[in-house]
Amino acid sequence: MDAAGYNPRTVEEVFRDFKGRRAGLIKALTTDVEEFFQQCDPEKENLCLYGFPSEQWEVNLPAEEVPPELPEPALGINFARDGMQEKDWLSLVAVHSDAWLLAVSFYFGARFGFDKADRKRLFNMINDLPTVFEVVTGAAKKQQKEKSSISNHSSNKLKSNPKPGSNNLKERAETPGKFSRPQPQSLPKDEDEGILDEEDEDEHGDTLCGACGDNYASDEFWICCDICEKWFHGKCVKITPARAEHIKQYKCPSCSNKRARP
């Protein structure tokens, strides 16, 4: 197990320790899964899965001393091995492994007096990586694939102009570099544009494109669907600012297809 006296003392050192242990655990639950499965014999005593800073892993008995030098992983992972589907068991071990990794990192943080800023920085560095659970279950890759396929599907979907509607429609003032949205009827156009400029970044910085999933940026042209009220990059739905000026009611590719069905 961990060598006595191994103590990372800075945020960067603790993060390196976390990454090494995480890599070892992921290896056990993915590339070395057959070996890991065999070592977790339910006939044996309480077993734990350990990850080491050297990116290696080990199935072993828990430490004998109480309390142990470091927080201990989940006990008895082997007992549940044959009581559920293998993928569910691996997911369960992955969840407990994530909890253990955080416990070890913040144990070091507490031991060496990390203040609030250091703890936050350490957590943010850790949180930028996919969890062991996300890697083992394929959720991390699935999220990337879905984001990519949504973008490609939406781009390929729109082959013709959405037809303008005719009833009580919202007018849009779409210009390059502006966040396109309906003009309020109660404000003069010039006054409203000033409000748009001031509020765009603050209010819409967390807005995501309905096609590619990327965030709003003030230097890009966007358009909103009048049906589902989702926002899209103009380039993602093949709508230019010039073309948008002639659309009284915009329907995104998805809503256009829905309306076209009998």
Side-chain angles (χ1 to χ4, degrees):
M1 296 188 193
D2 290 286
Y6 174 77
N7 289 313
R9 294 172 179 269
T10 67
V11 171
E12 286 72 24
E13 287 176 346
V14 173
F15 182 58
R16 279 198 298 274
D17 178 271
F18 172 89
K19 284 201 300 183
R21 294 176 190 275
R22 172 181 173 274
L25 294 172
I26 289 173
K27 193 181 296 182
L29 296 167
T30 55
T31 55
D32 297 346
V33 68
E34 289 184 17
E35 182 184 349
F36 170 65
F37 186 87
Q38 290 170 2
Q39 289 191 28
C40 291
D41 185 347
E43 298 300 318
K44 295 181 180 178
E45 298 179 69
N46 265 327
L47 292 175
C48 300
L49 171 61
Y50 294 87
F52 300 120
S54 59
E55 301 188 5
Q56 300 304 310
W57 61 273
E58 178 182 61
V59 172
N60 210 332
L61 298 171
E64 292 183 5
E65 69 269 22
V66 178
E69 173 64 18
L70 290 178
E72 285 291 320
L75 293 173
I77 57 170
N78 52 315
F79 297 146
R81 190 194 74 176
D82 297 339
M84 59 179 73
Q85 293 287 330
E86 182 177 342
K87 66 177 183 179
D88 294 332
W89 176 69
L90 292 172
S91 298
L92 181 65
V93 176
V95 167
H96 283 292
S97 296
D98 281 317
W100 177 66
L101 286 172
L102 281 173
V104 171
S105 293
F106 279 83
Y107 167 85
F108 285 132
R111 183 165 181 171
F112 295 108
F114 287 6
D115 59 17
K116 181 178 179 180
D118 282 342
R119 292 195 303 272
K120 183 176 181 180
R121 188 155 65 92
L122 174 60
F123 177 77
N124 287 340
M125 291 166 76
I126 289 173
N127 202 39
D128 280 340
L129 295 173
T131 63
V132 175
F133 176 80
E134 287 173 331
V135 173
V136 169
T137 59
K141 285 186 178 179
K142 186 178 177 183
Q143 289 168 7
Q144 285 297 324
K145 284 183 179 178
E146 283 180 351
K147 185 175 176 181
S148 176
S149 65
I150 287 173
S151 175
N152 293 335
H153 187 56
S154 297
S155 296
N156 294 332
K157 221 171 173 185
L158 185 57
K159 299 295 182 185
S160 59
N161 291 348
K163 295 179 181 178
S166 56
N167 299 324
N168 201 15
L169 308 177
K170 301 172 186 174
E171 270 194 282
R172 307 187 173 279
E174 272 119 353
T175 56
K178 285 289 182 72
F179 189 82
S180 313
R181 61 178 174 182
Q183 298 287 340
Q185 297 298 319
S186 59
L187 290 174
K189 186 175 178 182
D190 292 342
E191 185 179 344
D192 183 48
E193 283 182 351
I195 293 174
L196 289 185
D197 289 336
E198 292 171 6
E199 296 180 350
D200 279 351
E201 292 292 346
D202 293 339
E203 293 185 2
H204 305 294
D206 58 350
T207 301
L208 301 180
C209 173
C212 71
D214 283 345
N215 287 79
Y216 160 69
S218 60
D219 61 346
E220 295 175 309
F221 168 69
W222 283 56
I223 189 166
C224 179
C225 174
D226 279 300
I227 307 302
C228 66
E229 297 186 349
K230 290 182 181 177
W231 290 93
F232 299 86
H233 288 108
K235 62 185 179 184
C236 288
V237 291
K238 298 181 181 177
I239 298 292
T240 64
R243 185 171 164 190
E245 290 179 2
H246 301 288
I247 299 175
K248 291 183 178 180
Q249 183 188 51
Y250 174 64
K251 286 189 281 188
C252 69
S254 178
C255 290
S256 295
N257 285 353
K258 285 178 186 175
R259 291 301 179 93
R261 291 171 188 160

